[in-house]
Amino acid sequence: MWWIIVALLLAKWGAQIWLDRLNARTVKAHAGAVPAAFVGIIDEPTYAKSIQYTLARGRLDQVSVSLNTAILVVVLLSGVLPWSYRMFLGWFGGSAWALAAFLMAVAAILALPGLPLDWYHQFRLEQRFGFNTTTRKLWWMDRAKGLLLAIVLGYPLLVLILKLVDWSGARWWLWAWAALLGFQLLMAVLAPVLILPLFNKFTPLPENSLRARLLGLAERTGFRTRSIQVMDGSKRSRHSNAFFIGFGGFRKIVLFDTLIQQLAEPELEAVLAHEIGHFKKKHIPKMLAASAAGSLAGFYLVSVLAGQAWFYRAFGFEPGSIVPALLLFGLLSGVVTFWFSPLAHWWSRRYEYQADAFAAGVMKEAHSLIGALRKLNEKNLSNLTPHPIYSGFYYSHPTLLEREQALRDST
Ligand SMILES: [Zn+2]
């Protein structure tokens, strides 16, 4: 059994390293001069910088992927999991509260080796390319808040799921799934009010021509919104974004302050039109439904694995409790889901094209959106020439060229 696990982990690791190298080769092959398609869109120094940025991120990714794989191999094969599980049971007993604490503790400990890499990414890599605006203090505060939220929100949910296993017998996976779904819906309502303000400040967009323009767009497209908020994204990074939060009458449009600085008014309107396109085409509920179907399949699979004594023994556990099955599933599901990511991203890219087409439709022109996309690619030093297999695995959005082409074809 153990060699199957090692083979699966190595297959994923090998594919990730191969993809990184393939992409680096493609990027280097285009490095000599700005490719013909981008002449006039991006200047020589910025293009050269985007190549260095892409290559540096690729190298860091290879380190991170290798570290994570090595840790998983050691953790799964050394017997440290069943050993610590028995210790924990001895000390704290087998109540749902104790077992949930065990799962939380394992997750927290396994997250520790990644911290130095996160640090390096923020304070070396992002710093070097002029993106970082996070202070050391803010970085640690973010991690502390994240841990606190996991304890306050994640721990009770885990306890509830483990109690449901005891209460509902063989069909526990249906109940656990329903509990998770309920929790996710509750979070979608509460997060904008309770969680996001813990990390960022939101201020209403002041009365100005931009606000009038964006509210005009919302009205024209029948998009009900309570307000337009500006988020202080510049507190952490110079990367930019826009999104909306909340449901129905509570809906708010959120623009990063960095986005407002980078784009002209018609371009901001086009970006918002794209976001409204996602809403109008019902992309969000469709994505939520797909992820709910995924978690249902996941819980069902755990329930099947929990009935297999060989699965427990292969990792040194005694059959009986659901907890080792949940833990092993959590650690190993990535070796399977990774291979489905091209499918998920293909689906997501389809939605991006639809939202772009919607934006061009309500703007009655495509050049504002094209202008916005060009600027965003330039400001974020996006890789303009990814290898198609690499972008297939990792890109949720089509590349700049693909989006421009589709926009021109649609108008
Ligand atoms: Zn989009």
Side-chain angles (χ1 to χ4, degrees):
M1 181 66 199
W2 66 268
W3 61 269
I4 298 179
I5 298 304
V6 172
L8 285 172
L9 286 167
L10 286 183
K12 183 185 170 209
W13 172 78
Q16 287 177 301
I17 297 291
W18 178 77
L19 283 168
D20 269 328
R21 299 208 166 155
L22 178 70
N23 197 47
R25 269 206 304 281
T26 313
V27 170
K28 280 182 196 156
H30 290 101
V34 179
F38 302 105
V39 172
I41 299 176
I42 189 165
D43 59 49
E44 196 76 52
T46 312
Y47 180 67
K49 208 173 159 192
S50 80
I51 286 176
Q52 291 312 316
Y53 185 51
T54 303
L55 293 176
R57 279 191 311 168
R59 284 191 298 268
L60 184 61
D61 192 54
Q62 292 188 36
V63 174
S64 153
V65 161
S66 306
L67 178 73
N68 289 337
T69 307
I71 290 172
L72 268 184
V73 169
V74 170
V75 163
L76 288 168
L77 300 186
S78 65
V80 66
L81 287 178
W83 173 80
S84 53
Y85 182 57
R86 279 193 299 272
M87 294 262 282
F88 204 91
L89 280 181
W91 289 335
F92 301 104
S95 71
W97 295 95
L99 294 174
F102 172 74
L103 289 173
M104 297 282 292
V106 172
I109 291 168
L110 288 182
L112 284 178
L115 278 182
L117 286 183
D118 288 349
W119 174 277
Y120 182 89
H121 174 258
Q122 191 66 33
F123 295 110
R124 292 289 178 273
L125 204 155
E126 293 287 296
Q127 181 77 33
R128 177 144 60 94
F129 289 92
F131 288 119
N132 177 46
T133 54
T134 307
T135 61
R136 260 66 165 169
K137 186 180 161 214
L138 181 64
W139 193 85
W140 282 112
M141 284 295 283
D142 282 352
R143 259 113 210 111
K145 285 176 193 169
L147 181 65
L148 210 67
L149 280 174
I151 294 169
V152 171
L153 300 171
Y155 181 55
L157 176 68
L158 213 46
V159 172
L160 175 64
I161 287 176
L162 292 178
K163 286 206 179 279
L164 285 170
V165 175
D166 287 340
W167 293 334
S168 53
R171 288 283 167 83
W172 70 266
W173 53 278
L174 263 180
W175 290 97
W177 174 72
L180 178 69
L181 207 61
F183 175 80
Q184 284 171 332
L185 291 177
L186 188 69
M187 278 304 115
V189 177
L190 293 184
V193 196
L194 296 180
I195 298 176
L196 295 183
L198 292 176
F199 293 91
N200 282 97
K201 223 198 246 127
F202 294 82
T203 44
L205 186 67
E207 299 270 355
N208 57 19
S209 57
L210 175 63
R211 185 168 182 276
R213 181 188 276 270
L214 297 184
L215 286 178
L217 170 74
E219 196 168 319
R220 217 160 70 236
T221 52
F223 181 79
R224 280 203 301 155
T225 179
R226 172 168 279 197
S227 66
I228 302 173
Q229 302 277 319
V230 182
M231 192 186 107
D232 59 347
S234 59
K235 180 170 145 188
R236 290 191 180 76
S237 160
R238 292 195 177 87
H239 290 298
S240 48
N241 208 348
F243 58 96
F244 51 82
I245 48 177
F247 289 107
F250 295 104
R251 197 178 301 122
K252 289 176 190 170
I253 296 164
V254 179
L255 305 170
F256 277 40
D257 54 357
T258 40
L259 191 74
I260 297 176
Q261 286 154 19
Q262 288 167 359
L263 300 186
E265 283 190 14
E267 293 168 342
L268 278 163
E269 184 182 0
V271 168
L272 183 58
H274 170 98
E275 296 304 326
I276 293 177
H278 280 309
F279 175 78
K280 288 281 166 185
K281 302 271 174 194
K282 305 215 165 28
H283 292 162
I284 298 127
K286 285 180 196 164
M287 289 280 200
L288 286 177
S291 107
S295 54
L296 181 63
F299 274 122
Y300 176 70
L301 209 63
V302 175
S303 81
V304 172
L305 287 175
Q308 316 293 319
W310 60 267
F311 179 71
Y312 281 75
R313 299 220 168 89
F315 294 97
F317 287 100
E318 278 308 307
S321 163
I322 193 76
V323 172
L326 275 175
L327 178 62
L328 293 168
F329 180 82
L331 295 178
L332 285 171
S333 56
V335 299
V336 178
T337 54
F338 170 74
W339 302 99
F340 290 99
S341 52
L343 193 67
H345 287 142
W346 168 78
W347 197 24
S348 150
R349 286 196 295 268
R350 255 184 60 221
Y351 284 174
E352 294 307 322
Y353 285 127
Q354 291 175 10
D356 280 353
F358 178 90
V362 295
M363 298 288 290
K364 299 195 179 66
E365 45 92 358
H367 62 257
S368 298
L369 186 56
I370 290 177
L373 293 173
R374 286 180 176 182
K375 274 194 200 168
L376 290 176
N377 272 271
E378 187 207 328
K379 298 283 180 203
N380 290 311
L381 295 177
S382 305
N383 177 10
L384 295 174
T385 55
H387 192 281
I389 303 180
Y390 182 87
S391 61
F393 262 90
Y394 291 117
Y395 281 33
S396 59
H397 288 58
T399 62
L400 177 62
L401 271 193
E402 291 168 330
R403 291 177 81 171
E404 285 200 14
Q405 192 58 51
L407 276 166
R408 286 212 190 83
D409 292 347
S410 74
T411 50

